[in-house]
């Protein structure tokens, strides 16, 4: 089961134009384009702002990877809890991990 906010992030990522994305060509350096040639944003960052360009360009591929990781961890933790095959203390720690993930997603 996924947290509603995680599901919303996944829906937004899946709705975006396919990646990967990259900084526009040198003659128009303040754009982010998909590698398929579609302009994602223009004038979205100053040309002297490489950290923001990198964040925007990599978000298209980074976010789906992080969503998949969070889902895998949450699924594994839920499987461990449901199986009830681990000692009580270990089970409590797994539940604590899930609580942390859910709190972070709720922010």
């Amino acid at each position: 089961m996924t947290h509603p906010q995680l599901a919303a992030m996944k829906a937004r990522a899946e709705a975006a134009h396919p990646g990967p994305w990259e900084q526009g060509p040198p003659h128009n350096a303040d754009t982010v384009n998909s590698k398929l040639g579609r302009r994602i944003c223009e004038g979205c960052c100053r040309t002297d702002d490489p950290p923001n360009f990198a964040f925007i360009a990599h978000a298209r591929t980074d976010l789906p990877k992080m969503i998949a990781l969070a889902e895998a961890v949450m699924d594994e933790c839920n499987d461990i809890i449901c199986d009830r095959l681990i000692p009580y203390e270990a089970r409590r720690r797994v539940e604590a991990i899930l609580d942390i993930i859910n709190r972070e997603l709720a922010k």
Side-chain angles (χ1 to χ4, degrees):
M1 182 163 94
T2 59
H3 188 281
Q5 197 162 356
L6 187 60
M9 286 183 225
K10 187 174 185 176
R12 287 190 297 270
E14 289 173 350
H17 191 73
W21 295 351
E22 59 191 5
Q23 184 176 350
H27 65 278
N28 194 4
D30 66 342
T31 64
V32 174
N33 300 314
S34 75
K35 289 205 174 184
L36 299 175
R38 178 159 182 188
R39 179 162 291 149
I40 303 302
C41 67
E42 183 172 1
C44 47
C45 294
R46 297 184 324 268
T47 56
D48 64 343
D49 198 0
N52 282 335
F53 265 125
F55 178 80
I56 291 168
H58 289 274
R60 183 63 190 97
T61 49
D62 290 349
L63 185 59
K65 288 177 189 175
M66 290 305 299
I67 290 168
L69 175 63
E71 288 177 332
V73 169
M74 292 173 75
D75 288 346
E76 188 65 27
C77 289
N78 283 324
D79 287 349
I80 290 169
I81 291 168
C82 290
D83 287 345
R84 301 186 192 283
L85 297 176
I86 57 176
Y88 176 75
E89 182 58 31
R91 185 167 181 257
R92 278 190 13 174
R93 293 180 74 184
V94 170
E95 289 171 342
I97 292 168
L98 283 175
D99 288 343
I100 291 167
I101 292 169
N102 284 318
R103 273 198 311 274
E104 289 300 314
L105 288 172
K107 288 182 179 179

